[in-house]
Amino acid sequence: MPPHRRWGAGMITISLCMIVKNEEKILERCLNTVADLVDEIIIADTGSTDATKEIAARYTEHVYDFPWTDDFSAARNFVFSKATQEYIYSADADEVLSPENRERFRALKMCLDPGIEIVQMKYANQLCFGTVYNFDEEYRPKLFKRKRDFVWEAPIHEMVRLEPEVYDSDVVITHMPQGSHAKRDLENFRKSWEKGYRLSKRLHGMYARELMMAGDREDFAGAAAIFAQSAADNERDGEEMAQACCVVARAARLEGDVISFFKYACKVIAQEACSEICCEMGLFYEEREDWEEAAVWYYNAVYETQPILNLRAGGAESLEGLIRCYERLGCPEQADIYRQELQNCQTEVMGTDRG
């Protein structure tokens, strides 16, 4: 249960804020699970050409048009600016609250101490429906206090508390998209770079991870110059440099550019090899039917290094490579050992990341 509310404080009030576009197939499903739990609903439509706005209007009179600018933050800031209640619940159309979690949400609303400024909820079902995540369940900030109260702390040398009060709730949100958003996200990353936006460390890592987990040849071709620039940027740290080199190495492998492939792969190996670059080496040699050398690198990916972007590179993807290699080498018993490892790996990855 959440921390008890302070004496005299009533049930908190909540504004549901959403940005939508062409969500006629799933918007009603989402709103049916949350509409009666909130005190107002505010929806910003970024250019729907289907019945999304008509469906939204059945639940609220607060439906706004917001011209799309390739900027999700601008859209969310706009819809947040329309909220009038104490807290803002940020939801996407592909989210659902189960009956059990509706009751948890209701209890949270009744008991939450209004001193809490951010409530995190578990985002679940992430490995289904082609989504791009390393974990099936993880905490995300979902409920935000609309106006922050600044509080002085300490009896001497007092200062204003700057860190928000965050509470990890037991509410689980089920993510049920119609398909992967990777293509859309990768295109938005590329467009931001073309407009001169320098990706922050967080977005740099997210772009690299989404590429390594879901990018195709076209996506890597469009990102190669971006990450080659990052790899040569002295203001990027070692982690970002390794991420960039992994992306450029894969792009070079896909294009058959052997010199560039080894140039960027060796930059990572010279510092501290990671599972992703070892897996790339395994794929490189497998493409050339050098099964023994490929197996060495796949083994290193699983057992001697750690992933920095994609957990599958240090698990399922490289284990699948080992199975293929040992089958081609005529060693079915060894292949079966790694097949069992693969089953164990697929069970473990369904755990929760609470970081």
Side-chain angles (χ1 to χ4, degrees), residues 253-310:
R253 180 179 61 78
L254 293 172
E255 294 299 321
D257 184 348
V258 175
I259 292 176
S260 292
F261 172 75
F262 277 101
K263 172 183 175 180
Y264 287 96
C266 288
K267 284 180 183 290
V268 180
I269 294 169
Q271 296 297 317
E272 184 175 359
C274 61
S275 298
E276 287 84 355
I277 215 67
C278 290
C279 185
E280 286 300 311
M281 294 289 283
L283 288 164
F284 176 86
Y285 285 109
E286 187 179 356
E287 289 166 357
R288 286 152 181 79
E289 299 186 1
D290 187 342
W291 312 113
E292 290 186 357
E293 189 65 21
V296 169
W297 287 103
Y298 285 135
Y299 182 92
N300 284 331
V302 178
Y303 300 106
E304 301 296 338
T305 55
Q306 296 294 322
I308 61 173
L309 293 165
N310 179 9

Side-chain angles (χ1 to χ4, degrees), residues 16-188:
L16 168 63
C17 289
M18 303 177 68
I19 57 174
V20 297
K21 181 179 180 181
N22 293 337
E23 304 286 11
E24 66 176 7
K25 294 181 179 179
I26 57 176
L27 180 58
E28 185 175 20
R29 180 187 68 185
C30 171
L31 290 173
N32 281 344
T33 69
V34 72
D36 63 324
L37 300 174
V38 298
D39 301 278
E40 71 175 354
I41 299 173
I42 302 166
I43 297 177
D45 186 276
T46 61
S48 292
T49 56
D50 62 6
T52 295
K53 289 174 64 177
E54 289 78 3
I55 294 169
R58 298 206 295 263
Y59 292 84
T60 178
E61 61 183 15
H62 304 297
V63 180
Y64 300 91
D65 289 310
F66 184 81
W68 181 241
T69 59
D70 295 322
D71 189 335
F72 282 98
S73 290
R76 291 206 188 276
N77 285 334
F78 170 79
V79 74
F80 270 38
S81 74
K82 301 297 183 180
T84 64
Q85 303 303 303
E86 295 173 283
Y87 284 81
I88 297 173
Y89 177 56
S90 180
D92 292 326
D94 57 9
E95 299 174 3
V96 174
L97 284 173
S98 68
E100 178 185 4
N101 285 290
R102 279 172 44 79
E103 292 310 309
R104 289 174 175 173
F105 193 107
R106 198 186 308 277
L108 179 75
K109 183 178 181 180
M110 293 178 62
C111 299
L112 186 69
D113 185 329
I116 300 295
E117 293 162 317
I118 296 175
V119 177
Q120 297 204 116
M121 300 178 184
K122 293 178 182 177
Y123 212 63
N125 209 40
Q126 296 190 134
L127 298 182
C128 294
F129 302 99
T131 51
V132 184
Y133 301 99
N134 277 319
F135 299 94
D136 193 52
E137 187 176 283
E138 65 182 354
Y139 270 119
R140 291 188 181 185
K142 296 293 291 181
L143 188 66
F144 306 87
K145 193 166 188 181
R146 187 171 64 87
K147 290 185 177 180
R148 185 174 184 188
D149 298 321
F150 287 98
V151 177
W152 288 89
E153 293 183 326
I156 189 171
H157 295 303
E158 68 283 358
M159 63 179 296
V160 171
R161 174 172 54 79
L162 300 178
E163 293 298 319
E165 290 290 326
V166 180
Y167 170 66
D168 291 342
S169 75
D170 59 357
V171 178
V172 180
I173 299 165
T174 303
H175 189 214
M176 298 180 65
Q178 292 181 286
S180 174
H181 297 156
K183 272 287 182 185
R184 178 201 68 188
D185 294 344
L186 293 172
E187 181 69 8
N188 285 334

